Amino acid sequence: MNTLQLRFHTHEEFRQLRSLIKADVQHIFGDKDSFLMEVAINEAVNNALCSTHSRKPITLSMRVTAGNRLVIRIKDSGAGFNVRKALEEMASCPELLFEKNLTSECGRGLSIIRMATDKMIYNRKGNELLLMKYIRQNVIKKSKTKKR
């Protein structure tokens, strides 16, 4: 996989592009292991879309590194948010936070993203997110043999 780079402005545009992302993630992790990563990407993009409140562009890039990691970068043009505060709240009592937001439409995204990825890094402003997930060797071998 080379780098996949997407640019979109609305939920509808993202819905139209999701099949590309899903296909790449399934190719990298296999059908069985890709679902949680797809959900994490959707959560991160939904957070970005909600924070822009406009038609300003959101960019998503996805690539596999030589170190067998999937790296995803999502950036919006919004004002960002207080990342430190959100992560501290999440770390203080993750179970309670998740339960508190169980029936809400928002509030679980960061927990899901953290659970699905090996690394989650925000910039200081809170409008750019870097996600990393290590790819198991046996999945890479399976996908290489499938191509033939």
Side-chain angles (χ1 to χ4, degrees):
M1 167 191 180
N2 295 327
T3 301
L4 173 67
Q5 293 190 357
L6 303 172
R7 189 177 185 134
F8 48 93
H9 299 82
T10 65
H11 281 91
E12 184 57 39
E13 287 178 14
F14 176 64
R15 271 189 221 104
Q16 293 172 5
L17 299 169
R18 262 198 334 221
S19 61
L20 295 171
I21 297 165
K22 181 177 182 171
D24 279 351
V25 171
Q26 284 182 343
H27 177 75
I28 293 164
F29 294 107
D31 292 338
K32 189 175 109 178
D33 296 330
S34 64
F35 179 73
L36 194 55
M37 193 65 208
E38 291 171 44
V39 172
I41 294 167
N42 288 337
E43 289 292 335
V45 168
N46 283 331
N47 288 347
L49 285 164
C50 289
S51 74
T52 59
H53 300 294
S54 69
R55 297 179 79 71
K56 292 182 179 177
I58 294 169
T59 58
L60 181 146
S61 66
M62 194 164 71
R63 67 185 171 91
V64 174
T65 67
N68 291 327
R69 289 182 301 179
L70 175 63
V71 177
I72 301 163
R73 185 177 304 270
I74 299 166
K75 183 170 184 175
D76 65 67
S77 303
F81 71 105
N82 188 335
V83 176
R84 186 184 327 219
K85 180 181 174 189
L87 294 178
E88 284 173 358
E89 185 177 314
M90 193 170 76
S92 67
C93 192
E95 301 84 19
L96 185 59
L97 183 64
F98 199 82
E99 282 182 33
K100 181 176 92 173
N101 295 314
L102 194 57
T103 57
S104 174
E105 287 213 15
C106 59
R108 297 178 307 274
L110 291 180
S111 298
I112 292 169
I113 294 166
R114 179 171 267 170
M115 187 177 12
T117 60
D118 294 315
K119 194 166 262 194
M120 173 177 92
I121 304 168
Y122 274 94
N123 67 352
R124 283 188 191 265
K125 188 176 176 182
N127 70 336
E128 184 174 6
L129 174 60
L130 180 73
L131 304 173
M132 285 186 256
K133 179 73 174 174
Y134 289 98
I135 304 166
R136 293 190 330 252
Q137 286 296 325
N138 61 344
V139 173
I140 294 170
K141 288 178 185 173
K142 283 181 188 176
S143 67
K144 284 182 181 176
T145 56
K146 279 186 179 180
K147 285 183 181 179
R148 293 181 182 170

